[in-house]
């Protein structure tokens, strides 16, 4: 019965789009990002100039829409280049961990389509379908505990997205509800369901997130509140995956001092990032120079157990599963964000120190 309802809904959406096509408006869009880095580590032979970490991404699409009915459809192409990959197509054969291969590019491209109805019958409810990505359920602060040293785009703590399926969005000034549902059975013979809610109130907001695919679950509880000196933010994320014996949580709290252009973030990890015995971390940033164009930052994560602290640093790939530190100065120059910094990953004999220089341009 559930699958019949999903099929019926998809047919209704498709029919609505076909009826409205003759009166539709067509909008074009091109977006993406590109980043270039110079990275030098303890071994001089690993100095590389690469598209590193953030890679490059290109998205070209067109959207047809009809205001009278709220119907719309999008079709496009996405192409990405991601370095530091051991599974890239067409790469030279041999030991993929060899450090002279860290700049190998993975070209990923594909078509995507989305269609739906906005504000059905004048309501606050919108329904749509995507075969590519539904990111509306994302919630929370940036993941300071896993942001790469030269990473400019930050993923939120509740970073669950739907790559295929139906989206349900209900949005008002005080309430935002986003649900993503994959009607197909996945590898675990379970349906993928992601839901997130945000309640807005005077001075702040409170949000919840939930993910369940039958094999793994994750929840998020968090919010922010405006005070006289600035803003306080707090997020709690917990996940459980029985097959891999993963059961952990992490808390991240941040205080932003608006007048001082200064913010501090504290992190307490309980086996969410460091599997043996958890760990702690923090970030300090100052943005009070050159009208906010300059950012000075320092952040670090430290595991309580030596096994977690070592991690697996590998050349210029900045793997952050062990201890890490990062100090940097960033400057916004026209369309570019630039950064120079010094970072370290791992601990003991496996510790690797890096210096890096990067430039990033966003077309989103």
């Amino acid at each position: 019965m559930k699958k019949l309802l999903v099929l019926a809904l998809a047919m209704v959406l498709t029919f609505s789009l076909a009826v409205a096509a003759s009166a539709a408006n067509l909008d074009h869009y091109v977006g993406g990002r590109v980043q270039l880095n110079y990275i030098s580590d303890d071994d001089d032979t690993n100095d590389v100039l690469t598209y590193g970490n953030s890679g490059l991404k290109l998205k070209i699409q067109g959207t047809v829409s009809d205001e009278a009915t709220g119907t719309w459809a999008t079709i496009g192409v996405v192409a990405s280049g991601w370095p530091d990959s051991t599974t890239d197509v067409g790469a030279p054969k041999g030991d993929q961990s060899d450090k002279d291969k860290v700049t190998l590019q993975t070209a990923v491209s594909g078509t995507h389509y989305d269609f739906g109805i906005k504000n059905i019958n004048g309501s606050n409810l919108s329904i749509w379908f995507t075969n590519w990505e539904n990111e509306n359920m994302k919630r929370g602060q940036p993941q300071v505990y896993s942001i790469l040293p030269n990473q400019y785009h930050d993923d939120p703590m509740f970073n669950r997205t739907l790559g295929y399926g139906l989206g349900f969005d209900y949005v008002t000034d005080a309430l935002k509800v986003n649900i993503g549902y994959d009607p197909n059975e996945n590898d675990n013979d379970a349906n993928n369901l992601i839901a997130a809610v945000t309640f807005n109130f005077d001075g702040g907001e409170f949000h919840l997130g939930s993910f369940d695919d039958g094999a793994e679950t994750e929840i998020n509880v968090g919010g922010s509140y405006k005070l006289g000196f600035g803003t306080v933010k707090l997020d709690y994320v917990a996940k459980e995956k029985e097959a891999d014996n993963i059961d952990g949580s992490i808390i991240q709290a941040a205080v932003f001092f608006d007048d001082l252009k200064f913010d501090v973030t504290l992190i307490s990890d309980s086996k969410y990032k460091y599997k043996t015995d958890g760990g702690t971390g923090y970030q300090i940033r100052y943005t009070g120079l050159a009208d906010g164009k300059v950012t000075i930052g320092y952040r670090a994560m430290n595991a309580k157990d030596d096994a977690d602290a070592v991690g697996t640093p590998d050349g210029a790939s900045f793997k952050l599963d062990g201890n890490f530190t990062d100090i940097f100065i960033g400057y916004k120059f026209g369309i570019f964000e630039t950064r120079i910094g010094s970072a370290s990953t791992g601990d003991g004999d496996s510790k690797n120190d890096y210096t890096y220089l990067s430039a990033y341009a966003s077309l989103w």
Side-chain angles (χ1 to χ4, degrees), residues 310-328:
V310 171
T312 54
D314 182 14
S317 60
F318 286 134
K319 293 185 178 178
L320 299 184
D321 52 348
N323 286 352
F324 68 82
T325 62
D326 179 25
I327 183 170
F328 67 91

Side-chain angles (χ1 to χ4, degrees), residues 47-360:
D47 294 359
V48 293
L49 186 64
T50 172
Y51 287 112
N53 301 130
S54 288
L56 60 142
K57 193 169 188 177
L58 173 65
K59 181 180 180 183
I60 302 174
Q61 69 180 32
T63 300
V64 62
S65 61
D66 177 68
E67 294 183 4
T69 60
T71 53
W72 62 274
T74 294
I75 188 169
V77 177
V78 179
S80 302
W82 302 96
D84 311 325
S85 173
T86 60
T87 59
D88 52 309
V89 178
K93 303 297 182 181
D95 182 8
Q96 295 289 346
S97 65
D98 193 347
K99 292 184 178 181
D100 63 2
K101 297 188 178 71
V102 297
T103 60
L104 295 178
Q105 292 293 301
T106 299
V108 180
S109 62
T111 58
H112 76 88
Y113 58 88
D114 319 281
F115 58 86
I117 305 175
K118 294 182 179 179
N119 304 119
I120 299 174
N121 290 329
S123 70
N124 298 105
L125 176 64
S126 301
I127 302 177
W128 59 295
F129 175 88
T130 181
N131 81 324
W132 183 57
E133 192 169 40
N134 180 349
E135 298 183 304
N136 291 352
M137 292 76 65
K138 290 186 174 184
R139 295 294 193 275
Q141 303 172 65
Q143 299 177 14
V144 173
Y145 45 86
S146 64
I147 297 174
L148 297 165
N150 57 344
Q151 181 178 342
Y152 293 83
H153 60 288
D154 302 328
D155 293 321
M157 292 181 66
F158 187 71
N159 189 38
R160 297 294 182 171
T161 62
L162 191 70
Y164 177 94
L166 293 166
F168 303 86
D169 303 320
Y170 183 86
V171 182
T172 69
D173 291 339
L175 177 66
K176 182 171 71 171
V177 180
N178 305 106
I179 298 174
Y181 173 67
D182 182 352
N184 289 333
E185 291 185 348
N186 57 27
D187 294 337
N188 303 303
D189 295 325
N191 293 316
N192 191 340
L193 180 64
I194 312 171
V197 181
T198 297
F199 302 94
N200 298 312
F201 56 89
D202 290 342
E205 57 88 15
F206 174 72
H207 56 260
L208 300 167
S210 175
F211 166 83
D212 188 352
D213 68 356
E216 182 179 6
T217 61
E218 181 169 299
I219 61 168
N220 164 235
V221 180
S224 63
Y225 189 71
K226 185 78 172 178
L227 298 171
F229 61 85
T231 304
V232 176
K233 297 183 179 182
L234 179 67
D235 272 282
Y236 168 84
V237 176
K239 65 181 177 182
E240 181 176 358
K241 190 173 183 180
E242 294 183 5
D244 296 331
N245 196 28
I246 296 175
D247 186 3
S249 62
I250 194 164
I251 298 174
Q252 182 171 303
V255 181
F256 295 80
F257 301 89
D258 292 344
D259 292 339
L260 298 176
K261 309 297 182 184
F262 179 77
D263 61 82
V264 178
T265 300
L266 302 177
I267 302 160
S268 177
D269 172 47
S270 179
K271 300 182 181 181
Y272 184 94
K273 177 179 177 64
Y274 298 122
K275 308 306 178 186
T276 306
D277 198 25
T280 57
Y282 62 94
Q283 173 180 266
I284 301 172
R285 292 186 303 181
Y286 176 66
T287 59
L289 300 175
D291 296 325
K293 293 182 179 179
V294 175
T295 298
I296 302 173
Y298 179 78
R299 64 192 185 91
M301 283 294 295
N302 293 282
K304 294 180 181 178
D305 190 271
D306 291 342
D308 292 328
V310 171
T312 54
D314 182 14
S317 60
F318 286 134
K319 293 185 178 178
L320 299 184
D321 52 348
N323 286 352
F324 68 82
T325 62
D326 179 25
I327 183 170
F328 67 91
I329 299 176
Y331 179 67
K332 294 182 180 180
F333 180 73
I335 66 169
F336 298 109
E337 292 186 56
T338 59
R339 188 177 297 176
I340 182 171
S342 176
S344 68
T345 59
D347 193 30
D349 294 338
S350 70
K351 185 177 181 181
N352 204 348
D353 296 317
Y354 310 86
T355 57
Y356 63 91
L357 175 66
S358 63
Y360 172 84

